[in-house]
Amino acid sequence: MDLSESARAVFAVLAAAGTATRPQLAAGAGLSKPTVSAAVAELEAADLAAHSGTSSGATGRSAAVYRLGPASGAVLAVDLGPAETRVHGCALDGALLAQGTGSRAEAADTVRKALAALPANAPLRAVVVAVGDVTVQGPEGTGERPATAKAGPVFDAMTVALPPGVPVHLENNVNCAALAELHEGAARGRGTFGYLRIGVGIGLGIVVGGQVLRGANGAAGEVARLPFPWDESREPRHEALEAHIGVRSLLRRTAEAWQDTDGPCPDNAERLFALAGQGHARAGAVVGRHAVDIGRLAAAVAAVLDPGLIVLGGAVGSNPQLQSGVRAELARLSWPCEVVSSALGDRGTVVGATRLAVARGIQTVTGAVEVRH
């Protein structure tokens, strides 16, 4: 978009603030009041800013208040989860405009419904899609793509619902959740930590100095690839650690341990944890054993990163019943590291993807440098 440098700076400040007066915009952008006045006039002419009332200061003098205009547009965040698809549509100031949830197979329809709920006059500026995979550049400049078949087919099916020409950015779902915990969850105020997701699969989001660490191949934190088992008599298998710690293995071990006298065997993790919370001995033993396994993975994370804080997330990992067992095993094997449960639960990925989408949308309008996160 052809905007002056000062108008771009003022737009970015206004998007971050939601509403602001000219003095506030001048302070935020580091510009003089006359320059800000010219920039605001430029943004108003382009429908990127609009007058939204007045405010009175301590001296009784009133000041015009501005907000984003209709042409600033909207963004879409899509979490292509292993079971559910979550979608958020937001204005560039972060205000939620639309949301939807559907099954993984219904991803395209869920996206279409969210797009239909956005204001008709709001151009779509950017889309961020969170996938459970490493992302790579597609052939011949076709944009980012999931690297494996783990997320590729559902991503392809979902993209048919997107309007043409809109920038689509992919991000690993665990990285998105880590970003959400950093800004809005259990890791606020902590610039360095590890977000360990345990659910259908496993993954690690690494935050160092307030930035998500991606790695040379975009694969930092892919703990599913840690060699397992590490034993002289057995060869490590591909992603065997994920198969051991993932929820399917947890339920298989539950069924193997269950006795006729224990009552009906739980067929999902929610029921298993509910029974453990009620004092069911067998369920408690299975959950305790699972906490030890997660604690050993946490010890490996601590040995490499020394993060000081590990946030347990995911459909299984965020359950508070795991905390004490994970802490105990981590303390036995490694140096001090705080362990807490996710504050955002399953919403973390779409919350983080939304934050990235807003940043990408602002970048699209202002032509700013690439977003860091």
Side-chain angles (χ1 to χ4, degrees):
M1 186 169 290
D2 188 15
L3 294 173
S4 67
E5 185 176 346
S6 57
R8 293 172 183 173
V10 168
F11 181 87
V13 172
L14 183 57
T19 60
T21 62
R22 292 189 190 190
Q24 290 169 336
L25 293 171
L31 300 172
S32 68
K33 291 181 180 179
T35 301
V36 166
S37 294
V40 168
E42 183 180 348
L43 293 173
E44 285 187 293
D47 280 337
L48 292 172
H51 187 268
S52 66
T54 58
S55 67
S56 297
T59 61
R61 300 176 65 180
S62 62
V65 177
Y66 295 90
R67 56 175 172 78
L68 294 183
S72 59
V75 296
L76 202 68
V78 183
D79 170 18
L80 289 179
E84 282 191 329
T85 298
R86 289 183 172 88
V87 181
H88 279 186
C90 287
L92 295 196
D93 61 3
L96 185 64
L97 302 174
Q99 60 182 322
T101 303
S103 70
R104 186 176 175 89
E106 297 168 338
D109 287 339
T110 305
V111 167
R112 287 190 187 96
K113 290 175 183 177
L115 287 171
L118 295 177
N121 62 343
L124 190 62
R125 297 296 188 184
V127 178
V128 168
V129 182
V131 296
D133 203 350
V134 175
T135 61
V136 296
Q137 286 294 321
E140 300 179 1
T142 55
E144 297 168 289
R145 290 192 48 76
T148 71
K150 183 185 294 185
V154 68
F155 172 74
D156 291 340
M158 182 276 302
T159 56
V160 301
L162 297 175
V166 178
V168 178
H169 307 276
L170 268 68
E171 182 55 87
N172 177 266
N173 57 357
V174 181
N175 286 348
C176 287
L179 187 67
E181 295 291 345
L182 171 66
H183 291 284
E184 303 178 40
R188 280 178 292 185
R190 305 289 289 265
T192 298
F193 68 96
Y195 171 82
L196 187 57
R197 169 173 283 183
I198 309 293
V200 174
I202 62 175
L204 175 69
I206 304 167
V207 176
V208 178
Q211 298 292 323
V212 174
L213 181 66
R214 296 178 57 86
N217 297 294
E222 288 293 312
V223 290
R225 298 291 182 93
L226 285 173
F228 182 86
W230 206 342
D231 187 290
E232 289 184 359
S233 62
R234 294 181 292 174
E235 284 293 314
R237 303 186 311 277
H238 179 73
E239 297 186 351
L241 183 60
E242 182 170 77
H244 176 69
I245 294 184
V247 70
R248 294 184 183 92
S249 181
L250 171 62
L251 295 176
R252 176 184 54 77
R253 290 195 298 273
T254 301
E256 290 172 352
W258 217 253
Q259 303 294 318
D260 293 341
T261 55
D262 294 325
C265 182
D267 59 0
N268 58 65
E270 291 80 3
R271 180 58 181 159
L272 173 64
F273 280 99
L275 287 173
Q278 295 165 12
H280 191 289
R282 191 79 60 190
V286 172
V287 169
R289 177 66 232 184
H290 200 54
V292 168
D293 286 340
I294 296 171
R296 291 174 179 175
L297 174 55
V301 170
V304 175
L305 298 177
D306 188 20
L309 171 68
I310 291 177
V311 179
L312 298 177
V316 172
S318 58
N319 193 295
Q321 293 185 64
L322 292 169
Q323 271 191 31
S324 62
V326 173
R327 286 171 177 162
E329 188 68 2
L330 176 58
R332 186 179 76 83
L333 296 172
S334 191
W335 36 77
C337 183
E338 186 181 357
V339 176
V340 300
S341 296
S342 164
L344 300 171
D346 287 346
R347 298 188 305 109
T349 295
V350 75
V351 169
T354 299
R355 176 173 286 273
L356 285 177
V358 167
R360 292 289 189 181
I362 295 171
Q363 176 191 353
T364 299
V365 173
T366 63
V369 296
E370 185 174 351
V371 176
R372 296 181 70 221
H373 58 274

